[in-house]
Amino acid sequence: MSEKYHIVTYGCQMNVHESEKIAGILCAMGYEETRRIEEADIIVFNTCCIRENAENHAFGNIGALKKLKKQKPSLLVVVGGCMTQEKGKTEVLKQKFPFIDIMFGTLNLERLEALIKQKKKERKRVVEIREEAGEIFEDVTPFRTSYPNAWVNIMYGCNNFCSYCIVPYVRGRERSRKPENIIREVQNLVKEGYKEITLLGQNVNSYGSDGTTGMTFSELLDAVASIEGDFRLRFMTSHPKDFNEDVVKVMQKHRKICRLVHLPVQSGSNTVLQAMNRRYTREKYLDEIKMLRSYFPEAEVTTDIIVGFPGETEEDYLQTESLVKEVEFASAFTFVYSKRQGTKASTMDAQIPEDVQKDRIMRLVELVNAFTRKKSEKYMGKTVEILCEDYDSKKNLYFGRDEFGRMGYFISEKNVIGKFVQLKVTKVNGISLFGELEKVKE
């Protein structure tokens, strides 16, 4: 009988995909997945430290394993990801949770199998945190659980050093994968029937800037979009300081590239943007939106926004509101500034009081949601193409997204997961669409 694994993932899509790689390593070792944590022989926490609440959540869940570990001493408890890579955090984990068996960082994920084998030979805890990023390891085959969607890393790390962000400190400097490896991976995914591919990077626009690939991001995007097959192509995340017309021209060339761009603005105030070290202005950001929509009037933009950054005045905040009104984002991930030790912003004067932060985030969410509802209402009565992603047993409905990320729900007599379907929208509810199935693309 095979041993079983359970993975707990925190944070962004990058972490979700890295958990698929961790699962691939464990499957290759003979482990089988279980969703019941008490059945597991090995539990892996793939942590995130980008925001304080993700870190606290991880601490709580790791601590909750103390009882299970006592009942099942052979259980291997493994902690990896951004939190272990954060300076000083490994020592905190050691002291708070002496029952952790293995710790590894973001820069040595490929060593997991060796670390497990080492632990099984030795009785002592195994800790290996690489300080510097080495060559990109290409031999891990992810165990993908997200059909018909697949995520493909094109690069790792970040060179931007935004003053609020800990990513460069826990993921290292930018490293780009070789284009032939990326293209081969996407070709295989398309052959396996995946219908939506997302190219991932902390800043995809920086792909190839280290001089090792012989390709820019727009050239890579063109090459991937040229792969034969019926699939959608997305990319994230784009940084406004680097987003350019070359990328939009490639989007125009290939209809399979979704007309949706995730372009984090973070603030509408030039004063705050400068303090954040974002290296673009409000005016440059708006020019990029104008350029994008000059090619595609129907193009949609999603974004990330932080409120309550140190020194942010009410006028700064209102400039963010005015930018939201001008762009009319399809949706936005909105955050209250989270103080991260080791970043420049954590030492800044004029930290914003919690009640002011809370007031601003509530106002911003209300504004963003108003535009989201307004855009949903435009779908009423229209027929849209949806990629069916799954079945919701609670609603008894199939669901999937259109190219702009809007979720649609519908009834189908047969399983259409992984199919492109035509959906006639008969009802809208906030960010969701409901409709009648008109046609299934075979």
Side-chain angles (χ1 to χ4, degrees):
M1 185 170 158
S2 297
E3 292 184 294
K4 296 180 179 180
Y5 73 86
H6 182 85
I7 300 174
V8 184
T9 307
Y10 305 88
C12 63
Q13 195 55 60
M14 189 81 74
N15 267 26
V16 173
H17 181 47
E18 288 185 352
S19 287
E20 291 181 334
K21 293 180 180 178
I22 291 169
I25 292 170
L26 296 174
C27 287
M29 294 179 69
Y31 287 93
E32 292 181 356
E33 183 185 21
T34 178
R35 296 191 178 186
R36 292 171 58 84
I37 199 165
E38 64 273 13
E39 291 181 351
D41 298 287
I42 181 169
I43 299 170
V44 183
F45 291 91
N46 187 15
T47 63
C48 175
C49 64
I50 306 304
R51 305 197 63 75
E52 187 177 15
N53 59 353
E55 196 169 281
N56 291 340
H57 195 194
F59 274 124
N61 286 345
I62 295 168
L65 276 188
K66 183 177 181 180
K67 184 178 178 181
L68 181 61
K69 177 71 171 176
K70 196 171 245 185
Q71 295 170 348
K72 193 175 180 179
S74 63
L75 171 68
L76 289 181
V77 178
V78 183
V79 180
C82 294
M83 206 162 80
T84 55
Q85 199 74 43
E86 187 181 356
K87 188 175 181 180
K89 202 53 62 75
T90 302
E91 291 306 314
V92 173
L93 288 164
K94 284 180 183 178
Q95 292 170 13
K96 285 178 72 75
F97 311 113
F99 54 85
I100 294 175
D101 296 291
I102 300 170
M103 284 189 272
F104 66 98
T106 59
L107 304 181
N108 62 330
L109 182 152
E110 78 281 357
R111 287 274 300 153
L112 180 58
E113 179 177 358
L115 299 179
I116 292 170
K117 288 179 177 178
Q118 181 181 340
K119 174 59 189 174
K120 287 186 173 182
K121 284 182 181 179
E122 304 172 1
R123 299 190 65 177
K124 63 182 181 180
R125 172 189 283 155
V126 176
V127 178
E128 186 176 301
I129 312 294
R130 185 182 290 159
E131 294 296 326
E132 297 290 334
E135 288 187 17
I136 293 173
F137 191 71
E138 293 284 357
D139 293 342
V140 175
T141 301
F143 178 70
R144 298 183 185 272
T145 58
S146 52
Y147 177 85
N149 303 312
W151 288 269
V152 175
N153 276 107
I154 65 170
M155 60 186 300
Y156 299 89
C158 184
N159 291 349
N160 290 316
F161 290 92
C162 299
S163 62
Y164 56 83
C165 185
I166 201 167
V167 167
Y169 305 98
V170 296
R171 288 194 172 274
R173 302 294 80 76
E174 289 176 354
R175 293 101 63 210
S176 299
R177 292 178 65 195
K178 292 180 180 178
E180 57 268 29
N181 291 333
I182 297 166
I183 292 166
R184 187 184 308 116
E185 184 175 351
V186 175
Q187 286 172 332
N188 290 337
L189 288 167
V190 173
K191 286 177 184 176
E192 291 167 14
Y194 285 87
K195 296 296 184 182
E196 184 170 296
I197 314 293
T198 302
L199 305 180
L200 286 179
Q202 298 294 340
N203 176 13
V204 291
N205 311 102
S206 289
Y207 177 82
S209 60
D210 56 4
T212 62
T213 66
M215 269 192 181
T216 63
F217 174 62
S218 59
E219 290 168 337
L220 175 70
L221 186 64
D222 187 21
V224 173
S226 298
I227 294 170
E228 291 186 9
D230 187 17
F231 66 98
R232 284 181 185 162
L233 184 59
R234 302 185 189 271
F235 55 90
M236 65 183 302
T237 296
S238 291
H239 195 298
K241 76 178 178 64
D242 299 315
F243 186 69
N244 59 53
E245 196 167 4
D246 289 343
V247 172
V248 179
K249 286 178 177 177
V250 174
M251 293 172 66
Q252 184 183 49
K253 179 180 176 182
H254 298 280
R255 192 60 192 88
K256 64 180 61 170
I257 303 175
C258 295
R259 306 312 200 221
L260 173 71
V261 175
H262 185 67
L263 197 62
V265 67
Q266 306 301 4
S267 175
S269 162
N270 283 337
T271 301
V272 175
L273 289 173
Q274 184 175 5
M276 287 179 167
N277 192 36
R278 292 292 286 174
R279 289 180 280 175
Y280 57 85
T281 62
R282 171 196 179 96
E283 291 75 22
K284 182 181 189 306
Y285 186 91
L286 291 173
D287 283 345
E288 289 174 1
I289 301 299
K290 185 178 179 181
M291 179 270 293
L292 173 66
R293 288 177 172 161
S294 71
Y295 282 85
F296 314 112
E298 77 281 12
E300 294 286 9
V301 180
T302 57
T303 197
D304 298 343
I305 302 173
I306 296 171
V307 299
F309 186 80
E312 181 190 65
T313 65
E314 178 66 11
E315 177 56 34
D316 291 325
Y317 167 74
L318 290 175
Q319 287 184 40
T320 296
E321 278 199 1
S322 73
L323 185 139
V324 169
K325 292 172 183 176
E326 189 166 347
V327 177
E328 296 192 7
F329 294 108
S331 64
F333 297 98
T334 55
F335 307 95
V336 171
Y337 166 71
S338 180
K339 191 174 183 179
R340 300 281 74 199
Q341 293 300 323
T343 64
K344 186 176 179 180
S346 68
T347 63
M348 289 180 178
D349 295 332
Q351 299 285 327
I352 305 300
E354 187 177 339
D355 60 331
V356 176
Q357 290 182 328
K358 196 171 291 186
D359 173 67
R360 288 176 185 169
I361 194 69
M362 289 176 68
R363 289 153 62 193
L364 181 63
V365 168
E366 185 178 348
L367 177 63
V368 168
N369 287 348
F371 282 108
T372 301
R373 288 191 296 269
K374 178 182 173 183
K375 287 180 179 290
S376 291
E377 287 164 5
K378 292 180 180 179
Y379 280 86
M380 190 65 187
K382 294 183 179 179
T383 297
V384 295
E385 184 175 79
I386 298 285
L387 172 59
C388 183
E389 298 179 355
D390 210 340
Y391 178 75
D392 188 326
S393 56
K394 292 181 180 178
K395 291 186 174 76
N396 292 321
L397 295 171
Y398 286 91
F399 65 89
R401 292 172 299 154
D402 74 345
E403 70 169 303
F404 304 110
R406 196 68 75 204
M407 193 70 76
Y409 293 86
F410 58 93
I411 294 171
S412 176
E413 293 181 0
K414 63 178 182 178
N415 184 344
V416 290
I417 296 172
K419 303 281 189 182
F420 289 104
V421 305
Q422 296 295 313
L423 183 70
K424 177 70 176 291
V425 179
T426 58
K427 177 186 173 184
V428 297
N429 181 17
I431 62 172
S432 300
L433 315 174
F434 296 85
E436 297 173 355
L437 180 63
E438 287 191 336
K439 184 180 177 182
V440 179
K441 189 176 180 181
E442 298 296 343

